[in-house]
Amino acid sequence: MSDIVERYNIPEQHFWLHGPRAGGPVEHNAAAGMWNVYGYPELQEILGDPATFSSNVLRITPEDQKPEGLSLEGFITQIDPPEHGKLRKLVSSAFTRKVVADLEPRIAAVTHELLDEARERGGFELVRDLAYPLPVIVIAELLGVPSSDRGLFKQWADTLFRQDTKVSFDELFERRPQDRETTMKSWWEMSAYLAGHAAERRRQPRADLLTKLVEAEVDGERLPDEQVVNFAIVLLLAGHVTTTMLLGNTVLALDAFPEHQERARADRAAIPAIIEESLRFFTPFALLARATTREARLGGVTIPADQTVLVWLGAANRDPRQFTDPDVFDPDRDPNPHLAFGRGIHFCLGAPLARLEGRVALDILLDRFDHLRTDPDDPVVFMPMPTMTGVRRLPLV
Ligand code: HEM
């Protein structure tokens, strides 16, 4: 591990670099008033029991810290059963496997266009030139909003994910008032933007996902506009930064482990397993949050009711009780039951799309580059915060 850490300047804050936590799979952080869970079987228990571990963490957020006027109606990741099941059924009827599979030729065309543009400009920085714009363009086109507005999406997502702040593990959940203000400003701008588009689709339907969402019907019920907007926000936020990281991390892995790059070149059928191992090894969305609704026993520890539980997917994906030699990048793990897309009722709805984008983009990169190699004179920049694992800058030669 240490050679990768040094070679790619992976910041210390990514604690999964340092092996299993000394405090065991469940730790109480008394100062922060939260519980950290790192172990694989413990995460399985949490994600499989939404009645005890609720996704609605706002429930236990003190009133004075709740963002004013914020509605989480339709914000699918924060909703518990039975409402969650109803919403998931509705949105799944619009966001089907066929809708995703039909995107393959368009994903390939956009990848080629982006690589052509980069060639004309000269120099190739994978995140800026491909891994960032590709998922945003794909989601924007899928929803039916102009992909030329992607500068706006980036601005909103950067604020909401606080990409530019260097925070330590302990500072992670200390939000300063000015952070909250800027975050909420981005939130309202994004909501207003999408509400405008949703209202237009009601007046004038088009062949896009926003239209499908405003028209989707289950048991005679339709989604109100507020829910359509919040679901579209989840798609824009959950769907692009994570996929950017998946693409960057997988190319980084092919640089770090050239034997796997050679294998994928010789046999493109090897790509899906490399993507799965990249998701385990560099888990993009490293952290989820839950709130206990009642007392729970977990990993030999008792967690009282109404507590915030931080669910560290990145750590569980390196739990030696589940994965043999977890620090070895081994695409031959079969099965590879990583938790990068979550587990249970909230399992990532966009997983087929992320996997498709990864496969298509890697296939084309291998076609167009004789060697995918990082530039020794231009360092890789890794995300600083432990909640996300991914490269922010990946210059290739
Ligand atoms: C849920 C990760 C790509 C849409 C989730 C969850 C994870 C995750 C861990 C579970 C959240 C929880 O249990 O609280 C990822 C990763 C991605 C990715 C690592 C890329 C590599 C996408 C894409 C889309 C998407 C491309 C859509 C365009 C969603 C949605 C949910 C979700 C809608 C909520 C599902 C629910 O609550 O029922 N994702 N995601 N994701 N993801 Fe993804």
mmCIF file with all atom_site columns, all heavy atoms in Angstrom, residues 277-291:
data_model
loop_
_atom_site.group_PDB
_atom_site.id
_atom_site.type_symbol
_atom_site.label_atom_id
_atom_site.label_alt_id
_atom_site.label_comp_id
_atom_site.label_asym_id
_atom_site.label_entity_id
_atom_site.label_seq_id
_atom_site.pdbx_PDB_ins_code
_atom_site.Cartn_x
_atom_site.Cartn_y
_atom_site.Cartn_z
_atom_site.occupancy
_atom_site.B_iso_or_equiv
_atom_site.pdbx_formal_charge
_atom_site.auth_seq_id
_atom_site.auth_comp_id
_atom_site.auth_asym_id
_atom_site.auth_atom_id
_atom_site.pdbx_PDB_model_num
ATOM 1   N N   . GLU A 1 277 ? -13.437 -4.249 -8.917 1.00 0.00 ? 277 GLU A N   1
ATOM 2   C CA  . GLU A 1 277 ? -12.361 -4.208 -7.926 1.00 0.00 ? 277 GLU A CA  1
ATOM 3   C C   . GLU A 1 277 ? -11.947 -2.767 -7.635 1.00 0.00 ? 277 GLU A C   1
ATOM 4   O O   . GLU A 1 277 ? -11.615 -2.418 -6.502 1.00 0.00 ? 277 GLU A O   1
ATOM 5   C CB  . GLU A 1 277 ? -11.170 -5.058 -8.404 1.00 0.00 ? 277 GLU A CB  1
ATOM 6   C CG  . GLU A 1 277 ? -9.987  -5.114 -7.446 1.00 0.00 ? 277 GLU A CG  1
ATOM 7   C CD  . GLU A 1 277 ? -10.267 -5.788 -6.083 1.00 0.00 ? 277 GLU A CD  1
ATOM 8   O OE1 . GLU A 1 277 ? -11.440 -6.048 -5.746 1.00 0.00 ? 277 GLU A OE1 1
ATOM 9   O OE2 . GLU A 1 277 ? -9.286  -6.018 -5.345 1.00 0.00 ? 277 GLU A OE2 1
ATOM 10  N N   . SER A 1 278 ? -12.041 -1.916 -8.657 1.00 0.00 ? 278 SER A N   1
ATOM 11  C CA  . SER A 1 278 ? -11.741 -0.498 -8.432 1.00 0.00 ? 278 SER A CA  1
ATOM 12  C C   . SER A 1 278 ? -12.755 0.094  -7.456 1.00 0.00 ? 278 SER A C   1
ATOM 13  O O   . SER A 1 278 ? -12.412 0.882  -6.570 1.00 0.00 ? 278 SER A O   1
ATOM 14  C CB  . SER A 1 278 ? -11.757 0.232  -9.781 1.00 0.00 ? 278 SER A CB  1
ATOM 15  O OG  . SER A 1 278 ? -12.004 1.589  -9.628 1.00 0.00 ? 278 SER A OG  1
ATOM 16  N N   . LEU A 1 279 ? -14.031 -0.315 -7.589 1.00 0.00 ? 279 LEU A N   1
ATOM 17  C CA  . LEU A 1 279 ? -15.074 0.181  -6.681 1.00 0.00 ? 279 LEU A CA  1
ATOM 18  C C   . LEU A 1 279 ? -14.813 -0.271 -5.238 1.00 0.00 ? 279 LEU A C   1
ATOM 19  O O   . LEU A 1 279 ? -15.080 0.447  -4.289 1.00 0.00 ? 279 LEU A O   1
ATOM 20  C CB  . LEU A 1 279 ? -16.451 -0.324 -7.130 1.00 0.00 ? 279 LEU A CB  1
ATOM 21  C CG  . LEU A 1 279 ? -17.049 0.396  -8.345 1.00 0.00 ? 279 LEU A CG  1
ATOM 22  C CD1 . LEU A 1 279 ? -18.163 -0.439 -8.971 1.00 0.00 ? 279 LEU A CD1 1
ATOM 23  C CD2 . LEU A 1 279 ? -17.597 1.764  -7.954 1.00 0.00 ? 279 LEU A CD2 1
ATOM 24  N N   . ARG A 1 280 ? -14.288 -1.486 -5.088 1.00 0.00 ? 280 ARG A N   1
ATOM 25  C CA  . ARG A 1 280 ? -13.972 -1.969 -3.735 1.00 0.00 ? 280 ARG A CA  1
ATOM 26  C C   . ARG A 1 280 ? -12.726 -1.260 -3.190 1.00 0.00 ? 280 ARG A C   1
ATOM 27  O O   . ARG A 1 280 ? -12.722 -0.741 -2.078 1.00 0.00 ? 280 ARG A O   1
ATOM 28  C CB  . ARG A 1 280 ? -13.707 -3.487 -3.742 1.00 0.00 ? 280 ARG A CB  1
ATOM 29  C CG  . ARG A 1 280 ? -13.451 -4.060 -2.343 1.00 0.00 ? 280 ARG A CG  1
ATOM 30  C CD  . ARG A 1 280 ? -12.872 -5.464 -2.373 1.00 0.00 ? 280 ARG A CD  1
ATOM 31  N NE  . ARG A 1 280 ? -11.493 -5.470 -2.858 1.00 0.00 ? 280 ARG A NE  1
ATOM 32  C CZ  . ARG A 1 280 ? -10.419 -5.209 -2.112 1.00 0.00 ? 280 ARG A CZ  1
ATOM 33  N NH1 . ARG A 1 280 ? -10.543 -4.924 -0.825 1.00 0.00 ? 280 ARG A NH1 1
ATOM 34  N NH2 . ARG A 1 280 ? -9.184  -5.237 -2.637 1.00 0.00 ? 280 ARG A NH2 1
ATOM 35  N N   . PHE A 1 281 ? -11.685 -1.219 -4.015 1.00 0.00 ? 281 PHE A N   1
ATOM 36  C CA  . PHE A 1 281 ? -10.369 -0.755 -3.585 1.00 0.00 ? 281 PHE A CA  1
ATOM 37  C C   . PHE A 1 281 ? -10.368 0.752  -3.312 1.00 0.00 ? 281 PHE A C   1
ATOM 38  O O   . PHE A 1 281 ? -9.814  1.221  -2.327 1.00 0.00 ? 281 PHE A O   1
ATOM 39  C CB  . PHE A 1 281 ? -9.376  -1.099 -4.699 1.00 0.00 ? 281 PHE A CB  1
ATOM 40  C CG  . PHE A 1 281 ? -7.929  -1.055 -4.290 1.00 0.00 ? 281 PHE A CG  1
ATOM 41  C CD1 . PHE A 1 281 ? -7.347  -2.129 -3.639 1.00 0.00 ? 281 PHE A CD1 1
ATOM 42  C CD2 . PHE A 1 281 ? -7.152  0.060  -4.569 1.00 0.00 ? 281 PHE A CD2 1
ATOM 43  C CE1 . PHE A 1 281 ? -6.007  -2.088 -3.283 1.00 0.00 ? 281 PHE A CE1 1
ATOM 44  C CE2 . PHE A 1 281 ? -5.814  0.108  -4.215 1.00 0.00 ? 281 PHE A CE2 1
ATOM 45  C CZ  . PHE A 1 281 ? -5.238  -0.971 -3.569 1.00 0.00 ? 281 PHE A CZ  1
ATOM 46  N N   . PHE A 1 282 ? -10.983 1.510  -4.231 1.00 0.00 ? 282 PHE A N   1
ATOM 47  C CA  . PHE A 1 282 ? -11.096 2.965  -4.057 1.00 0.00 ? 282 PHE A CA  1
ATOM 48  C C   . PHE A 1 282 ? -12.593 3.290  -4.018 1.00 0.00 ? 282 PHE A C   1
ATOM 49  O O   . PHE A 1 282 ? -13.164 3.711  -5.026 1.00 0.00 ? 282 PHE A O   1
ATOM 50  C CB  . PHE A 1 282 ? -10.495 3.720  -5.244 1.00 0.00 ? 282 PHE A CB  1
ATOM 51  C CG  . PHE A 1 282 ? -9.003  3.626  -5.403 1.00 0.00 ? 282 PHE A CG  1
ATOM 52  C CD1 . PHE A 1 282 ? -8.448  3.167  -6.594 1.00 0.00 ? 282 PHE A CD1 1
ATOM 53  C CD2 . PHE A 1 282 ? -8.144  4.031  -4.394 1.00 0.00 ? 282 PHE A CD2 1
ATOM 54  C CE1 . PHE A 1 282 ? -7.075  3.117  -6.773 1.00 0.00 ? 282 PHE A CE1 1
ATOM 55  C CE2 . PHE A 1 282 ? -6.761  3.976  -4.573 1.00 0.00 ? 282 PHE A CE2 1
ATOM 56  C CZ  . PHE A 1 282 ? -6.224  3.519  -5.764 1.00 0.00 ? 282 PHE A CZ  1
ATOM 57  N N   . THR A 1 283 ? -13.258 3.081  -2.891 1.00 0.00 ? 283 THR A N   1
ATOM 58  C CA  . THR A 1 283 ? -14.716 3.259  -2.802 1.00 0.00 ? 283 THR A CA  1
ATOM 59  C C   . THR A 1 283 ? -15.089 4.747  -2.955 1.00 0.00 ? 283 THR A C   1
ATOM 60  O O   . THR A 1 283 ? -14.777 5.545  -2.061 1.00 0.00 ? 283 THR A O   1
ATOM 61  C CB  . THR A 1 283 ? -15.201 2.735  -1.438 1.00 0.00 ? 283 THR A CB  1
ATOM 62  O OG1 . THR A 1 283 ? -14.738 1.396  -1.302 1.00 0.00 ? 283 THR A OG1 1
ATOM 63  C CG2 . THR A 1 283 ? -16.715 2.781  -1.329 1.00 0.00 ? 283 THR A CG2 1
ATOM 64  N N   . PRO A 1 284 ? -15.740 5.134  -4.070 1.00 0.00 ? 284 PRO A N   1
ATOM 65  C CA  . PRO A 1 284 ? -15.932 6.571  -4.315 1.00 0.00 ? 284 PRO A CA  1
ATOM 66  C C   . PRO A 1 284 ? -16.705 7.293  -3.210 1.00 0.00 ? 284 PRO A C   1
ATOM 67  O O   . PRO A 1 284 ? -16.269 8.317  -2.711 1.00 0.00 ? 284 PRO A O   1
ATOM 68  C CB  . PRO A 1 284 ? -16.714 6.605  -5.636 1.00 0.00 ? 284 PRO A CB  1
ATOM 69  C CG  . PRO A 1 284 ? -16.435 5.305  -6.304 1.00 0.00 ? 284 PRO A CG  1
ATOM 70  C CD  . PRO A 1 284 ? -16.240 4.317  -5.190 1.00 0.00 ? 284 PRO A CD  1
ATOM 71  N N   . PHE A 1 285 ? -17.857 6.730  -2.854 1.00 0.00 ? 285 PHE A N   1
ATOM 72  C CA  . PHE A 1 285 ? -18.715 7.342  -1.852 1.00 0.00 ? 285 PHE A CA  1
ATOM 73  C C   . PHE A 1 285 ? -18.394 6.598  -0.569 1.00 0.00 ? 285 PHE A C   1
ATOM 74  O O   . PHE A 1 285 ? -19.001 5.583  -0.280 1.00 0.00 ? 285 PHE A O   1
ATOM 75  C CB  . PHE A 1 285 ? -20.142 7.030  -2.301 1.00 0.00 ? 285 PHE A CB  1
ATOM 76  C CG  . PHE A 1 285 ? -21.137 8.105  -2.098 1.00 0.00 ? 285 PHE A CG  1
ATOM 77  C CD1 . PHE A 1 285 ? -20.883 9.389  -2.521 1.00 0.00 ? 285 PHE A CD1 1
ATOM 78  C CD2 . PHE A 1 285 ? -22.365 7.826  -1.510 1.00 0.00 ? 285 PHE A CD2 1
ATOM 79  C CE1 . PHE A 1 285 ? -21.824 10.386 -2.357 1.00 0.00 ? 285 PHE A CE1 1
ATOM 80  C CE2 . PHE A 1 285 ? -23.308 8.806  -1.349 1.00 0.00 ? 285 PHE A CE2 1
ATOM 81  C CZ  . PHE A 1 285 ? -23.036 10.094 -1.776 1.00 0.00 ? 285 PHE A CZ  1
ATOM 82  N N   . ALA A 1 286 ? -17.428 7.078  0.213  1.00 0.00 ? 286 ALA A N   1
ATOM 83  C CA  . ALA A 1 286 ? -16.896 6.239  1.285  1.00 0.00 ? 286 ALA A CA  1
ATOM 84  C C   . ALA A 1 286 ? -17.773 6.207  2.528  1.00 0.00 ? 286 ALA A C   1
ATOM 85  O O   . ALA A 1 286 ? -17.586 5.381  3.406  1.00 0.00 ? 286 ALA A O   1
ATOM 86  C CB  . ALA A 1 286 ? -15.489 6.698  1.649  1.00 0.00 ? 286 ALA A CB  1
ATOM 87  N N   . LEU A 1 287 ? -18.748 7.140  2.613  1.00 0.00 ? 287 LEU A N   1
ATOM 88  C CA  . LEU A 1 287 ? -19.500 7.286  3.862  1.00 0.00 ? 287 LEU A CA  1
ATOM 89  C C   . LEU A 1 287 ? -20.995 7.484  3.630  1.00 0.00 ? 287 LEU A C   1
ATOM 90  O O   . LEU A 1 287 ? -21.396 8.279  2.783  1.00 0.00 ? 287 LEU A O   1
ATOM 91  C CB  . LEU A 1 287 ? -18.966 8.525  4.602  1.00 0.00 ? 287 LEU A CB  1
ATOM 92  C CG  . LEU A 1 287 ? -19.733 8.973  5.836  1.00 0.00 ? 287 LEU A CG  1
ATOM 93  C CD1 . LEU A 1 287 ? -19.537 7.983  6.975  1.00 0.00 ? 287 LEU A CD1 1
ATOM 94  C CD2 . LEU A 1 287 ? -19.274 10.345 6.274  1.00 0.00 ? 287 LEU A CD2 1
ATOM 95  N N   . LEU A 1 288 ? -21.819 6.777  4.408  1.00 0.00 ? 288 LEU A N   1
ATOM 96  C CA  . LEU A 1 288 ? -23.272 7.028  4.456  1.00 0.00 ? 288 LEU A CA  1
ATOM 97  C C   . LEU A 1 288 ? -23.633 7.341  5.906  1.00 0.00 ? 288 LEU A C   1
ATOM 98  O O   . LEU A 1 288 ? -22.865 7.025  6.816  1.00 0.00 ? 288 LEU A O   1
ATOM 99  C CB  . LEU A 1 288 ? -24.057 5.780  4.020  1.00 0.00 ? 288 LEU A CB  1
ATOM 100 C CG  . LEU A 1 288 ? -23.786 5.210  2.637  1.00 0.00 ? 288 LEU A CG  1
ATOM 101 C CD1 . LEU A 1 288 ? -24.594 3.918  2.462  1.00 0.00 ? 288 LEU A CD1 1
ATOM 102 C CD2 . LEU A 1 288 ? -24.145 6.214  1.557  1.00 0.00 ? 288 LEU A CD2 1
ATOM 103 N N   . ALA A 1 289 ? -24.788 7.947  6.111  1.00 0.00 ? 289 ALA A N   1
ATOM 104 C CA  . ALA A 1 289 ? -25.210 8.232  7.491  1.00 0.00 ? 289 ALA A CA  1
ATOM 105 C C   . ALA A 1 289 ? -26.573 7.617  7.751  1.00 0.00 ? 289 ALA A C   1
ATOM 106 O O   . ALA A 1 289 ? -27.419 7.540  6.856  1.00 0.00 ? 289 ALA A O   1
ATOM 107 C CB  . ALA A 1 289 ? -25.264 9.740  7.709  1.00 0.00 ? 289 ALA A CB  1
ATOM 108 N N   . ARG A 1 290 ? -26.779 7.162  8.973  1.00 0.00 ? 290 ARG A N   1
ATOM 109 C CA  . ARG A 1 290 ? -28.066 6.644  9.424  1.00 0.00 ? 290 ARG A CA  1
ATOM 110 C C   . ARG A 1 290 ? -28.342 7.177  10.828 1.00 0.00 ? 290 ARG A C   1
ATOM 111 O O   . ARG A 1 290 ? -27.424 7.619  11.511 1.00 0.00 ? 290 ARG A O   1
ATOM 112 C CB  . ARG A 1 290 ? -28.057 5.104  9.467  1.00 0.00 ? 290 ARG A CB  1
ATOM 113 C CG  . ARG A 1 290 ? -27.869 4.402  8.098  1.00 0.00 ? 290 ARG A CG  1
ATOM 114 C CD  . ARG A 1 290 ? -29.070 4.584  7.200  1.00 0.00 ? 290 ARG A CD  1
ATOM 115 N NE  . ARG A 1 290 ? -29.048 3.734  6.005  1.00 0.00 ? 290 ARG A NE  1
ATOM 116 C CZ  . ARG A 1 290 ? -28.636 4.126  4.804  1.00 0.00 ? 290 ARG A CZ  1
ATOM 117 N NH1 . ARG A 1 290 ? -28.162 5.348  4.616  1.00 0.00 ? 290 ARG A NH1 1
ATOM 118 N NH2 . ARG A 1 290 ? -28.691 3.296  3.769  1.00 0.00 ? 290 ARG A NH2 1
ATOM 119 N N   . ALA A 1 291 ? -29.619 7.102  11.248 1.00 0.00 ? 291 ALA A N   1
ATOM 120 C CA  . ALA A 1 291 ? -29.982 7.522  12.605 1.00 0.00 ? 291 ALA A CA  1
ATOM 121 C C   . ALA A 1 291 ? -30.734 6.370  13.270 1.00 0.00 ? 291 ALA A C   1
ATOM 122 O O   . ALA A 1 291 ? -31.673 5.824  12.676 1.00 0.00 ? 291 ALA A O   1
ATOM 123 C CB  . ALA A 1 291 ? -30.875 8.756  12.531 1.00 0.00 ? 291 ALA A CB  1
#
